Amino acid sequence: MTSAVAAALARIDELDPELHAFTEVRHEDALAEERAAQDLPLAGLPFAVKGPKGLGSYAARRLAAAGAVPVGATSVPGPGTHWQTWGQGAHGRTVNPWRPDRTPGGSSAGSAVAVAAGMVELATGSDGAGSVRIPAAWCGVFGLKTTTGLLPSPDRTGLASPGVLASSAARAETYLRHVLDAYVPRPARLPVRAAYSPDLGFASVDPEVAEVSRAAVERLATAGVIRLVRDPVTLSDPTEAWTAIRGESPTPATRALRAANDRALGAFFARTPLLLTPVTPNPPHGHEGPGDVYSTALTWAFNLSGHPAASLPAGFTPDGCPAGLQLVTRRGADAELLGMACAMEGVLPARRPDRFS
C-alpha cells in the first residue's frame, strides 16, 4: 500500500511541472520522517510549508512534532513581482489551477495551489494583508488568518499573522489543534447571528464578485446556518494606515484612522458575532497584474485590527474562477470562527478543478 507521503510526493511530481507550486520537494527526507512519525498523533500526515524559510516556522515545527511531515516548500512572489505573478516555483511562474492564465493570488501562492490541486490537504501560510485569504479565495480552498499575537508573527510590524490553507475548514482544525496550546473545539450554535457587508463602506467591488458572495450568504441564511441581521459596518479605507505601519512611519492621521476603524469593529462585534464580506473586490487577474485595483481592499483592515478572518469557498464568477466569502469574528475567537466555518461548508462545499480530481 502506498503511504500518504509517497502518494503526495508522486502527485507533486506529476502536477507541479504544470502548476509551479513548489520551490523544493523533500523526497528522501519526507519518506524517512514519515517512518519515524507513525506512533505520533498525526502519523505522517503530509503538509506543505510556505516559502524557503517555512520549515523553520513555529507552526511547521509544531505540526512536525505531532507527526505531520513537510513534503516541500511552496512558492512565494519572486523578485520584482509585487503586483504580478505572485509566485515563482522551481519550474516557473505559479499558475491558478482553475485557469492557468490567471494568478493564484499571494503571497501564499504555492500553498493555495498545492491544496487546490490535491497535492496536500494542508499547507502553512502567513497573512499580512490578505496573503492567506486572497489565494484561498482565488484557488477555491479554505484559508484562515489567526488573531494577531496568538502565534509568533513573521513580521516585525505585527501586521502578518500565521495561517493555514486547507482542503476544508474541518481539515484546518488539524492545524489549530496541534499548533495552539490548549486548543478547544467550539462547534457553532446555529443559527449564528451575522451581518453582511458587500464593501465595508468604502470598497468598489466587481458586481460579479458581489453577486457570488451575496448568493452564498442567502444560501446560508436559507439553510438556517446564519440569521442575518441589519447591522451596517462602515470603515474608512485602511490603505494609508496599513502602508504607514508597513513602512514603520505612522503619522497622527494614520493612527487616528486605525483607531477609528478599531472602535467601529469593537462596537460591531459587541453586538454581532460574525461579519461576512467578499474576500476580494475582483476576480483573479492575469499574470500582468491587477492594474489600479487593490485586491487587498477588503482584507487588510483586519490585519490592522488583529481580528481572525477566514476565506470560505463561495462559488464561481462567470469566467469560471472561484470567489471566497470572508468570515470575521472577535479577537481571540479563532476556534469559534473555525466552528462557524465548519457548519457553513456543509452548505457551501469546496470543489476541486475537474482535471485535478
Side-chain angles (χ1 to χ4, degrees):
M1 179 182 295
T2 303
S3 71
V5 168
L9 292 169
R11 193 161 176 87
I12 293 168
D13 290 343
E14 176 189 359
L15 300 179
D16 202 50
E18 176 184 353
L19 296 172
H20 311 163
F22 283 84
T23 59
E24 175 190 358
V25 182
R26 305 176 67 249
H27 290 89
E28 294 182 5
D29 288 344
L31 290 169
E33 290 164 13
E34 181 184 34
R35 290 191 290 271
Q38 292 308 304
D39 293 331
L40 296 172
L42 294 180
L45 173 74
F47 73 101
V49 299
K50 177 183 178 178
K53 299 180 180 179
L55 285 174
S57 69
Y58 178 84
R61 288 186 281 111
R62 291 294 299 263
L63 290 170
V69 176
V71 293
T74 58
S75 65
V76 293
T81 57
H82 180 61
W83 285 114
Q84 298 179 16
T85 66
W86 295 95
Q88 187 70 26
H91 300 285
R93 181 177 64 195
T94 310
V95 302
N96 191 304
W98 293 89
R99 280 193 55 166
D101 63 328
R102 305 292 180 90
T103 177
S107 61
S108 304
S111 287
V113 173
V115 172
M119 292 187 262
V120 291
E121 293 185 5
L122 193 73
T124 65
S126 59
D127 188 314
S131 291
V132 164
R133 288 162 288 162
I134 293 169
W138 286 354
C139 292
V141 302
F142 179 78
L144 171 69
K145 177 196 87 70
T146 56
T147 297
T148 299
L150 188 67
L151 295 167
S153 174
D155 175 13
R156 65 184 182 183
T157 69
L159 289 172
S161 295
V164 61
L165 297 107
S167 55
S168 66
R171 173 50 83 188
E173 189 178 36
T174 301
Y175 175 93
L176 285 188
R177 184 181 297 274
H178 294 282
V179 171
L180 292 182
D181 290 325
Y183 170 76
V184 177
R186 301 287 186 185
R189 297 179 63 181
L190 305 181
V192 178
R193 293 179 68 249
Y196 173 65
S197 174
D199 56 12
L200 293 177
F202 65 86
S204 177
V205 179
D206 183 300
E208 293 178 345
V209 172
E211 177 56 32
V212 171
S213 60
R214 187 181 301 280
V217 169
E218 291 174 354
R219 288 173 62 191
L220 292 169
T222 300
V225 176
I226 63 173
R227 178 166 66 85
L228 278 176
V229 298
R230 296 182 62 84
D231 194 354
V233 177
T234 302
L235 303 181
S236 296
D237 186 338
T239 301
E240 291 185 7
W242 188 94
T243 303
I245 297 296
R246 182 68 172 178
E248 299 183 83
S249 57
T251 66
T254 58
R255 290 191 185 97
L257 190 160
R258 184 181 192 181
N261 280 353
D262 282 353
R263 287 193 298 272
L265 289 169
F268 172 84
F269 287 118
R271 302 185 301 265
T272 304
L274 181 63
L275 172 62
L276 302 172
T277 80
V279 174
T280 65
N282 53 329
H285 54 77
H287 293 284
E288 74 284 354
D292 296 330
V293 175
Y294 278 90
S295 305
T296 54
L298 296 165
T299 52
W300 53 6
F302 306 110
N303 296 90
L304 283 166
S305 70
H307 291 87
S311 175
L312 188 71
F316 296 83
T317 49
D319 60 2
C321 292
L325 181 67
Q326 181 168 226
L327 288 59
V328 190
T329 193
R330 60 183 176 82
R331 296 183 190 92
D334 299 60
E336 288 86 343
L337 183 61
L338 191 54
M340 296 174 196
C342 286
M344 292 179 185
E345 70 183 1
V347 178
L348 304 173
R351 182 163 66 86
R352 184 176 295 168
D354 291 341
R355 60 201 176 103
F356 300 122
S357 296

